[in-house]
Structures are given as C-alpha cells and as structure tokens.
Amino acid sequence: MPRFEPSTSLRASVRALTGYVPIEPPEEVAARYGIAPESIVKLDGNENPYGPSPRAVAALAAPYAAHRYPDPDQRRLRSALASHLGVPVENVLAGAGSDELIDLIFRAYIEPGDAIVVAPPTFGMYAFDAELHGASVVEVPRGEGWALDAEALLDAASGAKAVFIPSPNNPTGDVLAPALVDRLLEAGALLVVDEAYIEFSHATSLASRAAEGAPLVVLRTFSKWAGLAGLRVGYGVMPAEMVSLLMQIKQPYDLNVAAEVAALASLEDRAVLDERACAITGERDALAEALRATGWVHPWPSESNFLLCRLDGARGLEVREGLRRHGVFIRYFDTPRLQDHVRISIGTPEDSARLLAALEAVRADIDAGRLHA
Ligand code: PMP
C-alpha cells in the first residue's frame, strides 16, 4: 500500500473535480469594495427578500430542544409535508436543503462510469455531484430561446441512469412541458424534476405523479418560497421504496432541530408565504418591464424569482463588477453562452429601484470607457 499523502491519495474523481462556484458571503464582497454591508442590495442568490414567515420567526425565537438530536425519521416534518402536498407520508423525504437530496440520489444510484443527463444552462449541482461520483455528464444544450431539445434529451436519457431538469429552470426561468415529462418517464432513466422555484410559476407540481410510483423524484425546498435558505431544508417526493432506501444511507441527523421547527411553522404560515410569492412575481414582471425600457438589458420570460437578462453592448462580468461598486450584487456565469448575460434575483420594489439607478450609472461608465472588469 503506498503511503498516505493528502493530495495524491485522493479518489481519482475528486482529484479531477472542477468544483461548484457558490455565491460569496456579501460581507466579504462588501469589504473588498469598501461598501457598508447594510447598504447592500443582494440579488445574486435567488433568496427571498422578505425573510422567514412571522410564525417561523416566532418559532425560532421560542425555546426548542436544541440540546437533543433530531428525529432521524423526520416524522413531524414528513407528515406535515404529506398533508401539505396531498401525498402519502411514505413518499416524502426531507433533507438539509434539496442539495442534500441530490447528493443522496447520487450516493444511492450513480456509480463511476454511469451517465447523467442535464440541459445547460442549468443548475450546476447535478454536474458537480456527477463529477464527485465519477459519473459522466451528458449535456443536451438548450436551443434557441433556451428551449429544451426534446428528441436529443430522450435519446440521451435512454442510455443514462438519471436525467436532472429544474422546472422552472435556473437560470433560464422556463418550465418543463407536461408532454415531455410523459415521454421522459418512458425513457428508462430516473427523472429528477427540481421544483425549487415552482411557487413562483404557473406550473402544476409533479409531486403526486412521483408518489404514484413513476421513476420520478420531485425536489422542493424551503429556501426560496419560505425564506429559509440559511437553515437548509429541502424535501423530495418519490416512490416509497426509494424513500426507505435513501433513509438508510442518509446521515441520521441531517435535518436539524431549528430547521424542522421553522419549516413546520412555515407550513402553518403558507397563506403569508403565498402572498409574498405573489408580491415577488408581481415585482418580477414590473422589473422586467423597467429593464426592457433601458433598451440594453433584455430579460428572458421568467416563471421564477429571477430574471436572466441579455446585455446589449456590455459583458456580464463588467456589469456585475460595475454594480458591485454601487453595492448591488447580481450573478454572472462564466460559461461561453452566458458571457453577455446576467441573472438578477427579484428583491423588494426598493431593491429594484436601487438596481435600476445603479444600472444607469454603470451604462454611463461603460459608454465613457470608465469600466474595466
Ligand atoms: N435546485 C435549484 C434549481 C436551485 O437553483 C437551488 C438553489 N440555488 C437549489 C436546488 C438548492 O436548494 P437548497 O437551498 O434547498 O439546497
């Protein structure tokens, strides 16, 4: 056996990892740009600008058993989720964010050499986990207007272990057509539909189909709709047999006690959260119109809490950097197709006003040749 050595003893798939680029803590970026942290407008993480619901805030302020381990079977939350969704509790599994459920699917089902299918541009976590587990990633790029290439997807799915598609998709904001779901479910691979943003769309959730035994996992999260991104609570609806199997391999205490009480309280506050989601989609549509009126920031249609925007005569990176200097944080993706794009999360109307003013200043800087990213 060769001597242990931190880097060369790594698993081959980990050595080859390119990594996931997460959002930086805002205080770090603010310090770099000499900006007061309290003046930041944070539109880079698709978070909920209104924070947790009033009942969740109260539940977190009240005493709870932080000194006890949480229930490894997540009974209370799974049962509340089952009634919320109208599916049997045997079909529901919660986790530390939907990220954990994605990881569990890989740990249970994806072996080195297996293939998974994604349709970029899309959420990066599926490819990240695939690399980590030594699986190959078959990319079926979206076409004109970010439309899915149905035939190519079906073709790729027939030779793969799993297909991962968010609906609405991050960052393009479009939803998966039900007719394509039917066809993908026939392709032989596991279909994972990630509904992290569904509360901001008109789409009907596929959760009940996942509970009826189709080779389908529907992922949902409390990070966006419920404003609990920092507490890490997500869940999946899937065939009952999968819940039992994933339950056996997950970390027993993955869902922490604070996350559980806040998630339960959020479900009791769903009317408030739905109202807020409605305010966010209203603000999204108003912001889209205001951006279009700039003549150079062109938002794609979105069924989500963010807008992917194409920029005329500006690069995504320079606009992100320019806005940072004004304390407005947005997301840029360094991939060939998104060089002239940025993604803007929807905040409050005040956040939108700050963004629009900063965009105008950045445009003036670009035109005057004052901005170099
Ligand atoms: N799925 C998609 C499509 C996302 O965009 C995100 C967050 N960026 C997640 C899942 C992660 O959700 P969670 O916070 O529940 O891990």
Side-chain angles (χ1 to χ4, degrees):
M1 197 73 184
R3 275 176 76 85
F4 175 82
E5 213 271 307
S7 57
T8 52
S9 301
L10 274 174
R11 282 165 45 202
S13 60
V14 177
R15 231 178 294 144
L17 211 59
T18 46
Y20 176 73
V21 184
I23 40 173
E24 280 183 275
E27 317 78 63
E28 294 290 318
V29 185
R32 234 178 21 246
Y33 286 78
I35 296 158
E38 57 285 359
S39 72
I40 291 168
V41 174
K42 192 173 181 313
L43 305 177
D44 58 354
N46 297 344
E47 294 144 337
N48 192 315
Y50 300 106
S53 81
R55 282 179 208 231
V57 171
L60 288 167
Y64 52 84
H67 61 306
R68 302 287 185 209
Y69 285 105
D71 171 13
D73 288 338
Q74 314 162 338
R75 290 175 184 82
R76 286 205 308 159
L77 184 57
R78 288 175 59 223
S79 120
L81 284 168
S83 8
H84 173 60
L85 300 164
V87 300
V89 66
E90 292 75 20
N91 295 100
V92 183
L93 181 65
S98 34
D99 284 350
E100 189 199 8
L101 294 160
I102 297 169
D103 183 59
L104 278 178
I105 293 168
F106 276 88
R107 284 170 50 198
Y109 292 104
I110 313 292
E111 297 196 82
D114 279 345
I116 66 137
V117 179
V118 296
T122 193
F123 184 44
M125 200 52 81
Y126 321 122
F128 168 78
D129 277 307
E131 281 186 32
L132 190 59
H133 292 269
S136 62
V137 180
V138 179
E139 295 194 336
V140 179
R142 286 162 183 264
E144 195 67 20
W146 309 118
L148 287 169
D149 183 341
E151 299 312 317
L153 263 180
L154 289 163
D155 197 38
S158 66
K161 198 71 164 282
V163 179
F164 290 82
I165 304 180
S167 179
N169 184 44
N170 174 13
T172 57
D174 58 311
V175 299
L176 189 53
L180 181 55
V181 172
D182 292 339
R183 296 178 71 198
L184 281 167
L185 286 174
E186 295 298 315
L190 171 69
L191 176 63
V192 180
V193 177
D194 185 342
E195 295 184 342
Y197 301 99
I198 193 157
E199 292 89 349
F200 306 103
S201 79
H202 291 104
T204 305
S205 173
L206 295 169
S208 53
R209 292 226 21 213
E212 284 158 10
L216 172 68
V217 174
V218 170
L219 298 177
R220 303 277 292 265
T221 180
F222 282 81
S223 294
K224 318 294 176 181
W225 169 74
L228 297 181
L231 286 178
R232 317 301 302 124
V233 202
Y235 56 99
V237 182
M238 61 195 87
E241 201 180 350
M242 264 185 92
V243 171
S244 312
L245 293 166
L246 296 186
M247 197 77 103
Q248 286 171 28
I249 62 160
K250 76 176 184 62
Q251 299 284 336
Y253 308 119
D254 54 343
L255 181 70
N256 76 73
V257 174
E260 186 193 30
V261 299
L264 287 167
S266 302
L267 290 176
E268 281 171 18
D269 239 353
R270 73 190 70 162
V272 176
L273 291 171
D274 285 344
E275 251 171 56
R276 289 178 178 181
C278 208
I280 290 166
T281 56
E283 184 53 31
R284 173 194 70 206
D285 297 341
L287 179 63
E289 205 173 310
L291 290 170
R292 252 177 253 121
T294 66
W296 66 284
V297 184
H298 306 287
W300 290 94
S302 170
E303 294 248 11
S304 198
N305 68 341
F306 52 81
L307 291 165
L308 180 68
C309 303
R310 186 178 57 75
L311 308 169
D312 257 350
R315 287 173 299 127
L317 183 59
E318 70 183 337
V319 170
R320 185 196 69 181
E321 291 303 298
L323 287 176
R324 277 183 172 184
R325 289 175 199 152
H326 293 270
V328 179
F329 295 0
I330 61 166
R331 186 97 201 230
Y332 159 72
F333 301 95
D334 191 8
T335 64
R337 288 177 85 190
L338 295 177
Q339 293 294 305
D340 57 348
H341 280 77
V342 288
R343 190 196 67 194
I344 303 171
S345 307
I346 306 304
T348 62
E350 296 72 37
D351 294 339
S352 296
R354 279 274 308 278
L355 165 79
L356 290 164
L359 273 173
E360 205 175 315
V362 167
R363 182 76 242 184
D365 282 344
I366 293 173
D367 291 342
R370 285 191 294 264
L371 207 65
H372 303 285

